[in-house]
Amino acid sequence: MAYSRRTLLGGLVGGLGGFSLPIVVGNAMGGALSAADQAFSKLAVSWLDQSMRFNPVAATAIGDHRFDALMTDFSPKGRAAALDFAKTTLRALKAIDSESLSRANQVDASMLANALESQIWTTEIGQDWAWNPLVWQEVAGGAIYSLMAREFAPLPTRLIRATARMNAIPAFLAETRASLVPARVPMPHAVTYAAQNKGLKSILSEMITPNLSALEGKDRAALEAAMAVFSAAIDSHQSWIETVLVPAAQGEFRAGAARFDQQLRYTLLSPLSRQDIRTRAEAAVIEVRAKMYHAACMALKGVADAPPTPANPTDAQRQNAIRAALDLAAADRPARHALVETSTKATQIAREFVVAKDLITLPEGPVRIILMPEFQRGFAVAYCDSPGPLEKHLDTFYAVSPIPDEWSEEQAISFTREYNRRAIQDIAVHEAMPGHYVQIFHANAYPSILRAVLSSGSFVEGWAVYGETMMVEEGFMADDPLYHLTQLKILLRAISNAIIDQAIHVDGWSEAQVMTFLTQTAFQEEREAAGKWRRAQLSITQLSTYFVGFSEHMEARAAAKAKQGSAFSLKAYHDGILSFGSPPVRYARALLLDEAIV
């Protein structure tokens, strides 16, 4: 399953942490500021400024380049300072009369309170810094990558800043070793960390070495020396990972009910409980599988040796028919090394349809399809990496993970059966047209930087899943029942994500149970199911954002249709619901339809 890296920025900033930049944070929709709005605006500016100071790496990604030469301070002193600031800010926020705020600021205030409460809970109770090495990896990898991936400043300037950060990496990795408690680290996290840490050196070979000629004299000498320091530090840290961390890792990766439920509330900022989500998801599985059977029947018409497709099938007949039709789609696979090329073509096809149907206002610039950086691999198959809200003019990347070289041909075939040409077409809709790329383009037009930094994962991921369904509703690939079937299968994947998220972390499902559920009920190929088992072990509640957000987007559109009647316009609705940035869907719906903000 793909995802948007934008949804991780809010957690990264909140988990760690005065804009001198000309930004808007309060009363973003215009109008006179009340005393409460003025107090909130001042507080929001202070929080944004200090959060960037606490986390320079996140600041670079967001587009605040005041601290590009600095590293994030994850030491006990740094964590304590960030925690103290979060508590002080939360007290000040609670002292503001929320009912006197503008509707826009009521939303932002709720999102900020949620982020602060999440930060405090994560630091004091969750303690990710002590057991989750991937939190440290996100910073170590982003430190140099975020400086080199986009041309926000001249290349020599970015290389000089990268020099400073590379020189700071040894101390950061030393703090990583001092803070992590190997016995508390779960084995899946340790193994993934071992693979990703090695990938950090690819940043040198792919982004720094080819650009050495941009510097001369002492600046180049300093850069080359820093590269040696960086490389040696990564090697030394890798040795520690392999000889100390991995052998000692015995932490429990399952969250348990109490922790899962608390984190779910922070992740979703939704009144839906874990039990509500499970009930909805299990009903949706039945509904989508019924639609898949209908699409399979259409696809199997005239196919020799096709299984029977009666109007009232038994469970076995339904299963066999869907599987047989999916096998037809799986047979149309891209070449092992052609994933980027195939994704690029699929993105263009989706864009042409969106333009022809005039479904939504589109960005003028293209999205760049790239190979996923090595240090990010092992979590998801693809992601959308949009520029920060302060740099909306820069490139958006649609990153695709290559098939690992060490995979056997059988494993590669399993992967490309799952990510066949039709599946890649649907993923292009999810990531780019009209999914993440288009949604975040609209979000970047909203003037509240605070809301952009704290963007809702369920809004962002839910929109992308909604976009897949909406495109089929509007006739995308209408003459190809196998595409419709594939899109339904990927929708079923989003629903299944929400089920296994809690089934693994709360109900204690085993790997065998998860694999059976994903391969049989959800029709996933073995490699996809195995990857999802790994991803579910590494994350808590993020997998629930797809289905919850999708459901809320579908409900919001239905409410708009009911209210507007014959005046309803799909394009106007899309532009409207996306015009408020990326808050939780219920807030965007309330702002669009003039409903109460609760």
Side-chain angles (χ1 to χ4, degrees):
M1 174 63 70
Y3 71 102
S4 167
R5 283 183 53 77
R6 170 66 67 83
T7 63
L8 300 181
L9 281 178
L12 187 58
V13 173
L16 301 176
F19 269 85
S20 59
L21 303 171
I23 66 168
V24 177
V25 294
N27 201 34
M29 300 310 293
L33 289 172
S34 67
D37 285 320
Q38 293 180 47
F40 175 72
S41 179
K42 182 178 179 181
L43 183 71
V45 168
S46 172
W47 180 81
L48 282 164
D49 175 72
Q50 194 62 33
S51 293
M52 298 303 100
R53 294 178 188 276
F54 282 132
N55 197 337
V57 173
T60 299
I62 287 166
D64 178 1
H65 296 292
R66 295 175 295 163
F67 315 110
D68 281 353
L70 303 177
M71 276 295 291
T72 298
D73 182 3
F74 252 15
S75 69
K77 182 179 178 180
R79 294 194 301 268
L83 179 62
D84 181 67
F85 179 67
K87 290 180 175 179
T88 300
T89 304
L90 184 60
R91 286 194 295 270
L93 180 60
K94 289 183 175 179
I96 297 174
D97 179 13
S98 61
E99 293 185 1
S100 298
L101 293 172
S102 67
R103 285 168 61 81
N105 278 343
Q106 285 177 357
V107 170
D108 283 4
S110 176
M111 293 175 71
L112 178 57
N114 183 70
L116 292 168
E117 290 170 358
S118 175
Q119 176 184 350
I120 294 166
W121 179 84
T122 299
T123 303
E124 295 185 329
I125 308 300
Q127 297 185 343
D128 288 18
W129 49 269
W131 65 266
N132 187 356
L134 302 184
V135 172
W136 296 83
Q137 175 68 11
E138 184 75 22
V139 178
I144 312 303
Y145 179 81
S146 60
L147 291 171
M148 301 306 300
R150 293 185 174 88
E151 297 178 1
F152 61 83
L155 180 58
T157 299
R158 291 182 286 128
L159 286 170
I160 290 171
R161 295 173 185 177
T163 299
R165 281 192 174 166
M166 281 191 283
N167 283 325
I169 282 290
F172 182 82
L173 295 181
E175 190 57 59
T176 304
R177 296 189 291 272
S179 296
L180 285 172
V181 181
R184 293 182 62 183
V185 176
M187 183 58 73
H189 295 69
V191 172
T192 302
Y193 187 44
Q196 289 189 344
N197 181 71
K198 285 190 236 181
L200 289 175
K201 295 180 71 170
S202 68
I203 297 175
L204 297 183
S205 60
E206 296 174 7
M207 293 184 152
I208 304 295
T209 300
N211 293 305
L212 282 174
S213 61
L215 293 181
E216 298 178 348
K218 64 178 183 180
D219 287 335
R220 175 161 177 171
L223 174 59
E224 291 177 337
M227 291 171 66
V229 167
F230 180 86
S231 183
I234 297 304
D235 288 342
S236 177
H237 194 60
Q238 187 69 27
S239 177
W240 175 82
I241 293 171
E242 294 176 355
T243 62
V244 177
L245 182 65
V246 173
Q250 53 184 329
E252 175 55 69
F253 71 84
R254 300 181 198 275
R259 182 179 170 207
F260 186 93
D261 289 347
Q262 184 63 66
Q263 190 157 328
L264 188 69
R265 287 192 286 272
Y266 292 138
T267 298
L268 300 179
L269 192 50
S270 166
L272 290 176
S273 68
R274 167 167 50 91
Q275 294 78 10
D276 293 334
I277 295 168
R278 185 65 165 270
T279 299
R280 289 186 176 201
E282 289 178 345
V285 167
I286 296 172
E287 178 184 353
V288 171
R289 280 174 56 93
K291 291 180 179 179
M292 290 179 73
Y293 179 70
H294 176 73
C297 292
M298 299 291 293
L300 292 173
K301 284 183 177 179
V303 174
D305 300 322
T309 54
N312 297 301
T314 64
D315 289 344
Q317 287 172 328
R318 181 183 296 107
Q319 187 79 9
N320 291 339
I322 295 173
R323 172 55 65 192
L326 286 172
D327 284 344
L328 294 177
D332 186 10
R333 308 190 310 272
R336 179 171 183 150
H337 299 293
L339 296 180
V340 169
E341 177 186 346
T342 306
S343 298
T344 301
K345 182 177 180 181
T347 300
Q348 183 58 34
I349 291 171
R351 181 184 180 92
E352 290 171 358
F353 181 84
V354 172
V355 170
K357 298 286 287 189
D358 197 22
L359 296 176
I360 191 171
T361 299
L362 291 178
E364 292 183 4
V367 58
R368 287 180 55 192
I369 293 85
I370 64 170
L371 280 177
M372 188 180 297
E374 189 174 344
F375 72 92
Q376 291 288 355
R377 297 172 192 172
F379 182 75
V381 172
Y383 63 71
C384 179
D385 181 7
S386 298
L390 298 178
E391 296 181 318
K392 54 196 75 175
H393 61 287
L394 297 179
D395 287 339
T396 292
F397 302 131
Y398 166 10
V400 180
S401 181
I403 295 174
D405 291 336
E406 65 270 20
W407 277 14
S408 67
E409 188 62 21
E410 181 182 7
Q411 289 176 316
I413 289 173
S414 174
F415 182 89
T416 54
R417 278 177 58 84
E418 182 75 23
Y419 291 94
N420 56 66
R421 293 186 186 278
R422 290 176 176 85
I424 289 175
Q425 181 65 69
D426 186 72
I427 296 298
V429 170
H430 180 107
E431 293 297 335
M433 292 289 167
H436 291 318
Y437 171 49
V438 177
Q439 185 265 314
I440 293 174
F441 158 77
H442 282 265
N444 278 342
Y446 188 76
S448 170
I449 302 301
L450 179 73
R451 191 177 298 181
V453 169
L454 300 177
S455 61
S456 164
S458 57
F459 185 100
V460 174
E461 300 299 354
W463 168 264
V465 179
Y466 162 81
E468 298 170 56
T469 296
M470 180 273 296
M471 288 280 278
V472 169
E473 291 175 340
E474 293 302 304
F476 186 55
M477 312 291 277
D479 58 348
D480 185 359
L482 284 178
Y483 179 80
H484 186 201
L485 177 65
T486 301
Q487 181 269 319
L488 288 168
K489 173 186 170 178
I490 294 177
L491 175 58
L492 185 58
R493 184 191 301 174
I495 300 164
S496 301
N497 281 348
I499 292 176
I500 67 168
D501 194 16
Q502 58 181 263
I504 291 171
H505 286 289
V506 179
D507 302 335
W509 276 19
S510 67
E511 180 178 5
Q513 285 176 287
V514 172
M515 291 294 289
T516 297
F517 175 72
L518 293 180
T519 57
Q520 298 301 311
T521 302
F523 299 100
Q524 294 178 18
E525 297 292 333
E526 184 274 338
R527 282 291 84 192
E528 173 66 18
K532 191 56 58 66
W533 162 250
R534 181 182 64 248
R535 178 172 171 181
Q537 294 176 86
L538 300 176
S539 66
I540 303 170
T541 70
Q542 193 273 337
L543 285 174
S544 295
T545 60
Y546 301 90
F547 173 63
V548 171
F550 167 72
S551 300
E552 291 177 336
H553 273 292
M554 294 296 286
E555 291 165 0
R557 187 184 68 178
K561 283 184 174 181
K563 183 171 185 175
Q564 297 170 8
S566 60
F568 178 83
S569 160
L570 189 60
K571 181 180 182 180
Y573 169 75
H574 289 158
D575 287 353
I577 198 70
L578 298 188
S579 70
F580 303 106
S582 303
V585 181
R586 63 191 176 105
Y587 290 149
R589 168 180 167 170
L591 292 170
L592 180 68
L593 302 181
D594 198 26
E595 298 174 343
I597 296 174
V598 294

